Amino acid sequence: MVLRSGQYATEAYSFVTPKSSLAQQQQQLKQQQISSQTTTSSYWGIPPPLSPSSSSSSAVPSSIRTSNLFMKDEETSSGSAKKSKVKEPFSLSSLFGKSSSPASTTTTTKKPEKKKNGKKIESHPSQRKHISPLNLLGPDNTLQNNHNPESALPFHPSVKSGTLPNGLSYIILPNKSPANRFEAHLQVFSGSADELEPQQGIAHLTEHVAYMGSRKRERLFGTGSQTNAYTDFHHTVFYAACPTEMPNSGNGNNKKKATPMLPMALDALVDVMEARVESSRLEKERQAVLSEMTMVNTIEYRVECQILGTLHRENRLAKRFPIGKEVLIRSWTTDDVKTWHRTHYRPDNVLLYVVGDLDVSEVEKTIADTFGHLSAEKQGSEIRLKDLKPLASDLADAIVGKEDIVKSGQSWHYPPVRHDFCLSPEGDDENDTEQIKSQGLEIINKKRIPNDFEDDIIKKVKDYDLHLQEDYDLDDKVQFLKMDEVAKGKKIRPHIYRHELLQAFSLHLFAKRPVEPVVDMDSFRRSLARRIALAALQIRLNVGGRSDDPAFTFVEFNQLDSSREGCAVCSLDLTSEPIRWKEAICKSLSEIRKLGKYGVTAGEMERYASALMTDAEQLAAQGDRLSHGDQLSYLMETVANGHTFMSPMQSYQITAKALSTLTLQEVNDAAKQLCSHITSVNSDECASNGPIIATACSPKGFDEDDEEYVDEASLIQTIYEACQIPVEPEEDVVVPHTLIDDNELKEQMEERKPHWLGGSFSDGTPNTSPDKLTRPFTLRRLSNGIAVGISKNTGESQRGHLRLTAPGGRDAEKRLGFKSGSMAVGARCMQEGGAFGPWTREQVELFCVDHLLMVEINCNEESLMLDFVFPTTNVGNVGFGDDMQLGITGTEAVMQIVREIIVGFHWEEDALGRSKQSYRSAHETLQKNLEGRSTEMIMESITNKDDRFLSIDVETVNAVTLEDAKSAVMSQLIPSELEISVAGDFDVQEVLDMILKYIGTIPENANSKYRKTTSGEEEGVITPNTFGSVPNLPLPGKFLELELTDSDPRAVSYVAGAAPNQWGYLADGTTVSQRVMEADTKASDYDNRRRQHPLFGNVVLSLISEIANRRLFSTVRERKQLTYDANFSLTGFERLKGGWFLVTVTASKEKAQKALDACKETLEAMRKSNPISLDNLESAKRVVLNRHEGELRTSSYWAAIMTGIQQDSIPLKGPLSLTDYSAVVEAITTTDLQLALDCLGLDEDELYTAIGQTVQPEGYVPSEDEIVMASPMAGMKRGGALMNK
């Protein structure tokens, strides 16, 4: 039951509207697969990984191939332009098909060269006449597009754009969600790919210095604002997300006007354009970057570097990772940083985006007032290192003068690179012109009409090594990687990466293609066809490809447009056990070839076209309620790739029009092109025009005679042989439109006569009526005992979230005497399965696909939780327009699934096998993960090896039988102990009626045969909700050390101790509220009353966490310069009493002990020498409240809030948890927090501290496997420290 979320809704070509919630779930899923999360949303039948996939499986999904490579430096913080006459005006409005006022859209194109101080100031490449500063869609007469104007896609009607006289361009999009907030992003069109040889890493360091050195940014602290910055290959971005008005600045009684925040936010952004580059700030950020190098250098990161280095071997990206070279970073002075800054941070080389609940005219005026004084000439005059100026000029000339450079040839947003594209075989399509269009070549292949200026540049740069083909002093030792030709014209570029920390085999197989701008109906139809074909293939791989004993543990095929790489990348990413790597390759490539050769079936066409239509409809319903962040990220990527940015409603209308006439042949043509690089390897097919790129990652330690061993030759041979396997057309599977017969339900309703009972609570809230709707949620209980909470949430249009909770989890596993690990393995087995009633697993999975249902099943220490994301409209529809036949709603479909899980689930041995394999892989991966093993070591010590809180080892997993798993999980699915929380954009009464029909008819004695009593109980007396406490912390605390073998030096330090649970309960049963009141003997009656509020402990702990994190940042990073970041977190149990806090800090091995000591010092100072201040408290309040208000827009948050409200196992949680939240936060005082700190085990003898560090094997000498491979036709892989996040 694990279909990964929304494959059909997330392919790279969804550029016409921001991604839907389903698509966002998919992106989150992919991120989790590479960033150490343990569970993921999915459709039933396609298992999400349990562990860090890159360690265990080295899976790097294509959509995030570079997500961990760009440098993200995050911090939560709480003059009028003079008009000038210019030639050939250019405005961003041309991107969106409308004109802006001349005053706001005039741009400065190439000006006559000026002299200052006797020296010529050359124009920036972005201002040269041949190209607009943004992309080819500008009115450049020498480069006109050939798209059909009659079928042009409509532009978003609310977008406003323009260019100031100094060349600074901007885009404004008014957006209502969230209300009274906005985001401003400043994009500098220079990144690590623009660095010279002696500047490797300086783009990222400059970002640090400009961002962290901004005094104006600091003014945003305590205002509920968040600021951030990051550096990538192609750009550097700074942003501020703020409220529209300064909190508490307005005064209703005195009619004082609130202070607008936009000028403050833009002041912070203009401040980075005028960075002072002080030596003190440079030293702080130098240390932060060096620490960041260590922090990001995980095995996942190293795998990504290997993949990217092979994928982009022919261009600069293979040598210009953003983190740069350690030796250079240590050497740079303020002059080096200022030279880079003044060269690239110019008004004519940036683009400002503003999205939010703002008045457009006011935004335009503020932009002009704030940025209008900037001058490219002034910036150029302050370049300190004059000897770098001609080098920078040579690079700029090469970017605009060489052929096939995507930055100058297609979009100024792209990095300055060329690509070895892999295109469909020549002459393979009937219409070569359409083929060229569909592969995005019409712009890149277009011949420029050079003027004299460009002629001079072309001659000058003829021999310039723009692509870094030559060997340079800072490059690592390399061996040349050959390009293998498996048959005439059929080329594969292979690379093998072996490492002792890898646990599984993974393959990453790519074909690079040009980005096709989607600007008219023809290109839009091709994009839809690609999405349908990709969805069909992914579901085949995940559903049909999952046999009783599947060859791969993860597989994904996709094609994504990547502005950071300047191309579209078609990718296959798979993982498997090392011994089955050949089988996994053969199975996956056969499925791809089947799609390429035979296309999709009529049923698949209908299924995924309907899904696309539903997705577009949901987005249209959401309108401008899509969040500012989602809108802005989508807008930036859309503009960068030259796609047309449409409103959700425009997108819906165009999608409906296109899908109504889209043919099966068009989809199959798209499938043929997508798979052409694989199908062309077959001996009967023509060769593709360009190479396939293949990187395989494998554990070390296998001999050449072992089946697990893989090298370049065997990899190429296996790929070739896999492409010779005969394939047959796919057959359609009969998919039910409904899982439960309506007549059967009617009989159940008549027999059981389900009805509603009132809700009851333990936080002091009066009981609720069984027949009245209440706000903000309706809370009741069914007559069979199942508690129900329901809330209407319009923040996510036409979408809903349902959570089914069974208290117990691994605590019940131990308390009720089940075999260790059986509850967790059983929950995963349920996720891996999915058959029930008369339906097979595959039919149920496709039912979930048709109805856009996503399922996630988790077992944690305290509960079994089943989460469902679903559309609230009719889905599984057939046809379009007047001929459409409506299916059932997604809400009804999810009710059917929930019912069948409780009463009709089929437990299968093959699902258990997949579950156990996931847990084995997760545990084995943990043993090779520095952070994972270190944390496990601490937990073993503070819990006395209580297995409820530890990973499940291989021996334990292997001992679990199907009956063990089934008995453990089903013992939790007792109606009287279950709770359903559902929130979404629906009619509450209609959903209550559905719940009554589908869930209310479940027998109250369902699964009673699995009930189990605790030892000492009377027969038949069941108390599964009786939770105890976490184990008592063994005292005194101790210092722990761990060493992990790894070729690269890394270290991580920890400070841990006892803490209350999420609701303020300590392990001894007392509460934060009780202890604070006992300590404050002089408290007023008012203070005692508010401290008795059920939310008091929860809120106090949230505020302490925020303040602790801010203090750690200020002390450990800023003042002591020991780390890039330090983090304070709480375990957050709800049912178990007590818990722990954990401070984590990554540092170099040399500084690990000092960083640990600094963390202890910071925590101690909060208690004594530097107590919490009012400013600390007010800033934390803004952060906590803004986070709460933002999350209230999501149905998943509402479901989480309602979970446990009607369960006695969380006595302090009730309706007041939501209704009084803001008031309780605002009432908290510094005295509350100071006294509450004593509830944490912060005394020296109570602390557990640890340092985990890597050690090189004795006698370690780098093997040939660790020598980076490079192609003689491409740039060498750069050495030194890795790039950062």
Side-chain angles (χ1 to χ4, degrees):
M1 169 164 54
V2 291
L3 278 158
R4 226 182 327 280
S5 51
Q7 285 290 347
Y8 42 80
T10 62
E11 187 261 337
Y13 301 96
S14 358
F15 28 65
V16 284
T17 57
K19 289 183 173 66
S20 69
S21 158
L22 293 174
Q24 292 164 11
Q25 291 274 350
Q26 168 69 357
Q27 293 295 68
Q28 292 167 6
L29 166 70
K30 293 176 179 176
Q31 198 69 40
Q32 289 167 342
Q33 288 168 339
I34 198 169
S35 61
S36 305
Q37 299 297 315
T38 59
T39 53
T40 52
S41 297
S42 58
Y43 294 108
W44 226 328
I46 301 158
L50 280 171
S51 58
S53 295
S54 290
S55 297
S56 64
S57 59
S58 304
V60 183
S62 58
S63 60
I64 57 166
R65 194 171 46 261
T66 56
S67 64
N68 289 337
L69 302 182
F70 66 82
M71 312 316 144
K72 191 171 186 179
D73 303 298
E74 183 171 355
E75 176 173 339
T76 301
S77 47
S78 62
S80 300
K82 295 181 179 180
K83 299 179 183 178
S84 59
K85 185 177 180 180
V86 297
K87 300 178 181 179
E88 299 181 17
F90 165 74
S91 168
L92 263 180
S93 62
S94 60
L95 291 175
F96 305 101
K98 60 183 236 179
S99 298
S100 300
S101 62
S104 65
T105 62
T106 305
T107 186
T108 304
T109 57
K110 183 176 182 293
K111 297 180 179 180
E113 294 174 347
K114 297 181 180 180
K115 291 187 176 182
K116 187 162 183 165
N117 297 329
K119 295 185 179 181
K120 183 173 69 173
I121 297 178
E122 298 181 4
S123 62
H124 191 272
S126 66
Q127 286 292 290
R128 291 177 181 171
K129 203 170 185 178
H130 77 289
I131 189 76
S132 83
L134 299 175
N135 59 31
L136 283 180
L137 301 184
D140 189 324
N141 294 328
T142 65
L143 289 168
Q144 291 296 324
N145 293 314
N146 294 327
H147 296 291
N148 183 0
E150 296 181 0
S151 64
L153 297 177
F155 299 102
H156 195 303
S158 300
V159 170
K160 188 69 178 289
S161 58
T163 304
L164 299 181
N166 61 7
L168 185 140
S169 301
Y170 59 86
I171 299 176
I172 305 166
L173 175 62
N175 192 62
K176 297 298 183 182
S177 180
N180 303 316
R181 290 192 68 86
F182 69 92
E183 291 193 22
H185 289 224
L186 182 71
Q187 180 181 25
V188 181
F189 291 114
S190 297
S192 62
D194 299 283
E195 294 167 344
L196 300 168
E197 187 66 15
Q199 292 180 317
Q200 296 179 66
I202 204 165
H204 176 229
L205 181 61
T206 302
E207 170 238 303
H208 268 253
V209 172
Y211 171 73
M212 295 301 297
S214 170
R215 301 289 188 272
K216 294 179 180 178
R217 179 185 61 84
E218 294 176 357
R219 298 175 190 170
L220 300 177
F221 293 173
T223 65
S225 299
Q226 295 85 41
T227 61
N228 199 354
Y230 58 90
T231 301
D232 207 336
F233 291 123
H234 62 313
H235 67 195
T236 303
V237 178
F238 303 84
Y239 82 73
C242 310
T244 54
E245 296 177 349
M246 175 78 77
N248 303 321
S249 63
N251 188 319
N253 295 330
N254 298 325
K255 296 184 180 180
K256 179 182 177 182
K257 187 176 180 181
T259 303
M261 287 290 297
L262 180 63
M264 293 177 64
L266 296 189
D267 275 346
L269 295 180
V270 80
D271 208 26
V272 304
M273 295 287 291
E274 301 177 293
R276 288 165 289 281
V277 193
E278 298 166 342
S279 58
S280 59
R281 175 52 60 183
L282 173 59
E283 289 309 312
K284 287 183 178 181
E285 298 316 310
R286 190 197 315 276
Q287 296 306 315
V289 169
L290 293 173
S291 174
E292 191 176 356
M293 281 183 165
T294 301
M295 183 187 76
V296 302
N297 192 23
T298 62
I299 186 60
E300 295 89 351
Y301 182 79
R302 287 176 245 179
V303 166
E304 289 185 69
C305 291
Q306 294 291 324
I307 292 170
L308 278 171
T310 307
L311 177 61
H312 297 300
R313 191 72 77 206
E314 73 275 15
N315 63 50
R316 297 176 66 83
L317 301 188
K319 282 192 176 184
R320 289 294 186 266
F321 293 110
I323 195 66
K325 305 281 190 178
E326 181 176 350
V327 64
L328 293 177
I329 294 169
R330 291 187 182 278
S331 69
W332 287 324
T333 66
T334 55
D335 284 349
D336 293 289
V337 174
K338 195 164 188 177
T339 293
W340 171 268
H341 183 276
R342 298 304 193 257
T343 301
H344 297 276
Y345 285 58
R346 304 161 48 109
D348 52 13
N349 194 43
V350 300
L351 173 57
L352 175 68
Y353 294 86
V354 181
V355 175
D357 190 10
L358 296 166
D359 178 81
V360 173
S361 61
E362 286 297 320
V363 176
E364 284 199 290
K365 181 180 184 301
T366 306
I367 290 172
D369 291 344
T370 307
F371 291 91
H373 70 280
L374 297 175
S375 163
E377 287 79 8
K378 182 178 184 297
Q379 296 292 82
S381 69
E382 295 180 2
I383 293 175
R384 296 293 182 86
L385 302 180
K386 305 302 182 183
D387 56 329
L388 285 182
K389 206 168 182 182
L391 299 178
S393 179
D394 290 343
L395 174 60
D397 288 340
I399 291 171
V400 300
K402 279 187 173 287
E403 295 290 332
D404 301 329
I405 307 303
V406 294
K407 186 179 184 78
S408 58
Q410 187 169 7
S411 172
W412 195 255
H413 297 249
Y414 289 170
V417 297
R418 61 169 295 275
H419 293 289
D420 286 343
F421 292 123
C422 183
L423 308 175
S424 299
E426 295 182 5
D428 199 37
D429 288 351
E430 292 182 4
N431 189 329
D432 288 339
T433 301
E434 285 303 311
Q435 178 196 0
I436 289 174
K437 285 184 179 181
S438 70
Q439 297 186 107
L441 289 173
E442 58 180 339
I443 291 179
I444 293 178
N445 284 346
K446 191 176 298 180
K447 293 288 185 182
R448 295 198 192 96
I449 303 175
N451 53 33
D452 293 340
F453 180 61
E454 287 183 327
D455 276 338
D456 292 340
I457 292 178
I458 292 171
K459 293 175 183 177
K460 178 181 176 182
V461 303
K462 182 179 179 181
D463 298 322
Y464 186 84
D465 185 23
L466 176 62
H467 308 304
L468 304 181
Q469 306 293 293
E470 300 173 12
D471 197 1
Y472 295 92
D473 291 340
L474 292 175
D475 290 339
D476 278 348
K477 178 182 177 182
V478 299
Q479 290 181 350
F480 286 111
L481 176 67
K482 62 181 180 179
M483 184 88 72
D484 285 271
E485 192 170 67
V486 296
K488 185 177 181 180
K490 301 179 181 183
K491 301 175 181 179
I492 298 179
R493 180 194 299 169
H495 177 50
I496 308 297
Y497 177 58
R498 300 182 183 88
H499 200 280
E500 59 269 11
L501 295 184
L502 290 174
Q503 184 63 35
F505 169 86
S506 68
L507 174 70
H508 312 276
L509 192 147
F510 304 103
K512 293 200 283 186
R513 291 162 180 155
V515 172
E516 178 191 13
V518 175
V519 295
D520 57 20
M521 185 58 79
D522 289 341
S523 54
F524 185 77
R525 290 172 69 89
R526 287 192 292 272
S527 76
L528 292 180
R530 284 190 287 266
R531 293 173 67 185
I532 291 171
L534 284 165
L537 177 56
Q538 188 61 53
I539 298 303
R540 287 183 191 180
L541 289 167
N542 285 345
V543 179
R546 290 177 64 250
S547 62
D548 291 349
D549 186 24
F552 37 68
T553 56
F554 168 85
V555 62
E556 179 183 75
F557 184 86
N558 212 341
Q559 179 165 306
L560 296 169
D561 294 344
S562 172
S563 62
R564 63 169 59 96
E565 295 165 276
C567 63
V569 181
C570 186
S571 62
L572 169 68
D573 298 286
L574 68 85
T575 65
S576 73
E577 297 177 56
I579 200 169
R580 304 185 68 180
W581 69 271
K582 292 183 179 180
E583 184 184 354
I585 290 176
C586 290
K587 177 64 177 176
S588 57
L589 293 188
S590 292
E591 287 292 343
I592 295 170
R593 286 188 57 245
K594 184 195 299 184
L595 180 75
K597 187 171 183 179
Y598 298 110
V600 304
T601 67
E604 288 172 326
M605 169 78 173
E606 181 181 282
R607 175 174 300 120
Y608 304 119
S610 174
L612 288 176
M613 196 65 251
T614 300
D615 191 55
E617 182 182 356
Q618 290 177 343
L619 286 169
Q622 190 124 356
D624 63 2
R625 285 178 292 173
L626 293 164
S627 73
H628 305 326
D630 290 342
Q631 289 272 35
L632 202 149
S633 298
Y634 198 74
L635 175 61
M636 290 179 69
E637 192 70 10
T638 299
V639 171
N641 286 313
H643 306 317
T644 295
F645 182 72
M646 293 189 283
S647 71
M649 180 54 70
Q650 289 171 328
S651 176
Y652 167 72
Q653 293 167 344
I654 293 298
T655 300
K657 180 179 179 181
L659 287 177
S660 66
T661 57
L662 191 69
T663 66
L664 184 62
Q665 186 59 51
E666 287 178 273
V667 174
N668 288 341
D669 287 343
K672 181 179 181 181
Q673 183 205 320
L674 281 168
C675 305
S676 61
H677 60 298
I678 303 298
T679 56
S680 66
V681 179
N682 184 268
S683 58
D684 295 331
E685 302 290 340
C686 297
S688 290
N689 182 14
I692 297 172
I693 301 157
T695 298
C697 303
S698 174
K700 272 188 174 180
F702 299 124
D703 296 329
E704 292 186 18
D705 296 333
D706 294 336
E707 291 185 58
E708 297 91 340
Y709 183 79
V710 56
D711 59 13
E712 282 83 359
S714 59
L715 176 63
I716 292 170
Q717 184 64 26
T718 300
I719 292 173
Y720 180 76
E721 291 175 355
C723 293
Q724 313 310 313
I725 298 173
V727 293
E728 298 296 330
E730 185 80 0
E731 294 185 4
D732 266 329
V733 176
V734 176
V735 182
H737 293 289
T738 181
L739 297 175
I740 301 174
D741 182 70
D742 198 50
N743 292 326
E744 177 186 343
L745 275 177
K746 288 180 181 178
E747 293 176 2
Q748 292 287 325
M749 289 286 287
E750 293 175 2
E751 177 184 349
R752 305 195 181 280
K753 295 181 172 51
H755 56 277
W756 291 106
L757 305 175
S760 60
F761 317 98
S762 56
D763 70 337
T765 302
N767 292 352
T768 56
S769 169
D771 55 4
K772 291 184 180 179
L773 302 182
T774 55
R775 294 181 180 178
F777 29 51
T778 296
L779 304 167
R780 300 178 182 176
R781 188 175 291 272
L782 287 164
S783 52
N784 60 11
I786 298 177
V788 174
I790 183 169
S791 176
K792 182 178 179 64
N793 173 44
T794 59
E796 295 175 316
S797 295
Q798 300 185 5
R799 296 165 197 163
H801 189 110
L802 182 147
R803 170 171 289 180
L804 173 65
T805 306
R810 297 206 66 196
D811 179 72
E813 181 184 274
K814 181 175 183 178
R815 177 163 38 87
L816 300 177
F818 289 106
K819 184 176 291 185
S820 180
S822 58
M823 197 76 73
V825 172
R828 180 70 180 192
C829 180
M830 183 173 275
Q831 179 90 63
E832 294 282 351
F836 40 64
W839 312 114
T840 66
R841 172 185 60 82
E842 188 174 13
Q843 287 176 310
V844 174
E845 289 168 355
L846 291 177
F847 173 85
C848 290
V849 171
D850 283 356
H851 295 84
L852 308 184
L853 306 183
M854 291 178 289
V855 185
E856 177 184 348
I857 302 177
N858 285 312
C859 174
N860 60 27
E861 296 89 346
E862 303 178 296
S863 63
L864 182 69
M865 289 191 297
L866 295 85
D867 285 282
F868 304 83
V869 178
F870 57 93
T872 57
T873 53
N874 294 89
V875 284
N877 306 328
V878 178
F880 294 93
D882 296 336
D883 298 326
M884 180 182 293
Q885 300 177 21
L886 295 178
I888 63 174
T889 65
T891 314
E892 189 166 5
V894 83
M895 297 301 170
Q896 294 183 0
I897 293 287
V898 171
R899 175 187 172 86
E900 290 303 296
I901 286 175
I902 298 173
V903 300
F905 188 80
H906 294 176
W907 290 83
E908 301 166 316
E909 284 286 354
D910 64 304
L912 177 68
R914 292 190 293 272
S915 170
K916 293 168 78 170
Q917 178 55 41
S918 296
Y919 272 100
R920 283 192 292 264
S921 177
H923 183 76
E924 290 167 356
T925 296
L926 182 71
Q927 305 311 305
K928 296 185 176 184
N929 180 277
L930 180 63
E931 291 80 3
R933 275 195 63 184
S934 300
T935 304
E936 184 88 343
M937 174 182 66
I938 294 173
M939 293 304 296
E940 287 178 352
S941 187
I942 65 178
T943 66
N944 273 326
K945 296 187 176 180
D946 189 325
D947 58 11
R948 291 176 296 173
F949 308 99
L950 305 177
S951 67
I952 308 174
D953 61 40
V954 173
E955 183 178 354
T956 300
V957 169
N958 289 339
V960 176
T961 67
L962 185 64
E963 189 59 34
D964 293 331
K966 178 180 179 180
S967 297
V969 171
M970 298 308 291
S971 74
Q972 304 299 288
L973 300 183
I974 307 297
S976 61
E977 304 300 334
L978 296 178
E979 181 183 45
I980 288 176
S981 307
V982 58
D985 183 18
F986 44 54
D987 182 277
V988 170
Q989 187 58 57
E990 288 181 3
V991 177
L992 285 170
D993 292 342
M994 285 185 198
I995 292 174
L996 188 68
K997 180 171 69 170
Y998 285 105
I999 311 302
T1001 52
I1002 294 174
E1004 62 181 331
N1005 63 349
N1007 303 319
S1008 59
K1009 65 180 180 180
Y1010 298 103
R1011 287 184 178 224
K1012 203 166 184 181
T1013 60
T1014 57
S1015 59
E1017 291 179 353
E1018 296 179 12
E1019 186 66 27
V1021 177
I1022 313 300
T1023 57
N1025 275 345
T1026 305
F1027 286 82
S1029 302
V1030 302
N1032 290 324
L1033 191 71
L1035 296 176
K1038 59 180 70 172
F1039 173 68
L1040 307 169
E1041 290 183 281
L1042 179 138
E1043 292 184 344
L1044 178 70
T1045 301
D1046 186 3
S1047 56
D1048 289 12
R1050 298 184 68 235
V1052 59
S1053 303
Y1054 297 92
V1055 180
N1061 75 1
Q1062 184 175 330
W1063 294 94
Y1065 275 98
L1066 284 79
D1068 62 3
T1070 62
T1071 66
V1072 170
S1073 175
Q1074 292 170 348
R1075 291 201 176 188
V1076 169
M1077 288 192 292
E1078 289 173 1
D1080 191 1
T1081 57
K1082 298 181 179 180
S1084 66
D1085 289 342
Y1086 165 75
D1087 282 336
N1088 283 331
R1089 285 198 304 273
R1090 65 179 180 79
R1091 287 167 177 169
Q1092 291 172 358
H1093 194 286
L1095 262 176
F1096 178 78
N1098 178 291
V1099 168
V1100 161
L1101 293 169
S1102 296
L1103 293 169
I1104 286 175
S1105 293
E1106 287 297 328
I1107 294 169
N1109 276 305
R1110 169 61 61 183
R1111 289 284 189 92
L1112 288 166
F1113 182 90
S1114 299
T1115 301
V1116 186
R1117 172 179 166 159
E1118 284 287 277
R1119 184 162 61 86
K1120 294 184 177 289
Q1121 302 173 28
L1122 295 171
T1123 183
Y1124 173 72
D1125 196 16
N1127 176 261
F1128 176 95
S1129 61
L1130 296 164
T1131 47
F1133 299 130
E1134 290 198 274
R1135 295 173 173 85
L1136 289 166
K1137 295 180 178 64
W1140 304 281
F1141 71 85
L1142 183 69
V1143 177
T1144 307
V1145 55
T1146 303
S1148 66
K1149 294 176 65 173
E1150 297 77 14
K1151 295 182 178 180
Q1153 184 63 53
K1154 290 182 179 179
L1156 188 155
D1157 293 338
C1159 291
K1160 291 169 58 179
E1161 173 190 319
T1162 302
L1163 296 178
E1164 180 65 14
M1166 285 177 60
R1167 298 174 65 200
K1168 298 179 179 179
S1169 62
N1170 187 15
I1172 295 170
S1173 68
L1174 184 59
D1175 284 345
N1176 294 155
L1177 174 59
E1178 290 304 315
S1179 179
K1181 285 180 179 180
R1182 299 282 76 76
V1183 172
V1184 168
L1185 287 173
N1186 283 332
R1187 182 167 58 231
H1188 174 68
E1189 292 166 5
E1191 290 178 332
L1192 282 174
R1193 297 193 302 274
T1194 68
S1195 294
S1196 61
Y1197 188 60
W1198 279 97
I1201 288 174
M1202 291 185 287
T1203 297
I1205 277 184
Q1206 299 186 70
Q1207 294 179 339
D1208 293 339
S1209 56
I1210 314 179
L1212 294 180
K1213 188 172 186 179
L1216 298 180
S1217 304
L1218 176 67
T1219 57
D1220 292 0
Y1221 189 84
S1222 295
V1224 173
V1225 171
E1226 294 290 5
I1228 296 297
T1229 67
T1230 56
T1231 301
D1232 295 330
L1233 300 190
Q1234 211 63 50
L1235 294 174
L1237 280 173
D1238 289 334
C1239 296
L1240 303 179
L1242 296 175
D1243 289 339
E1244 180 68 29
D1245 63 348
E1246 296 177 303
L1247 294 177
Y1248 277 71
T1249 57
I1251 293 178
Q1253 58 185 326
T1254 60
V1255 293
Q1256 291 184 337
E1258 188 175 350
Y1260 170 78
V1261 176
S1263 66
E1264 290 186 1
D1265 293 337
E1266 294 171 78
I1267 297 176
V1268 180
M1269 309 296 286
S1271 166
M1273 298 303 294
M1276 305 292 187
K1277 177 75 168 64
R1278 65 111 187 100
L1282 300 175
M1283 55 193 152
N1284 29 18
K1285 175 188 170 201

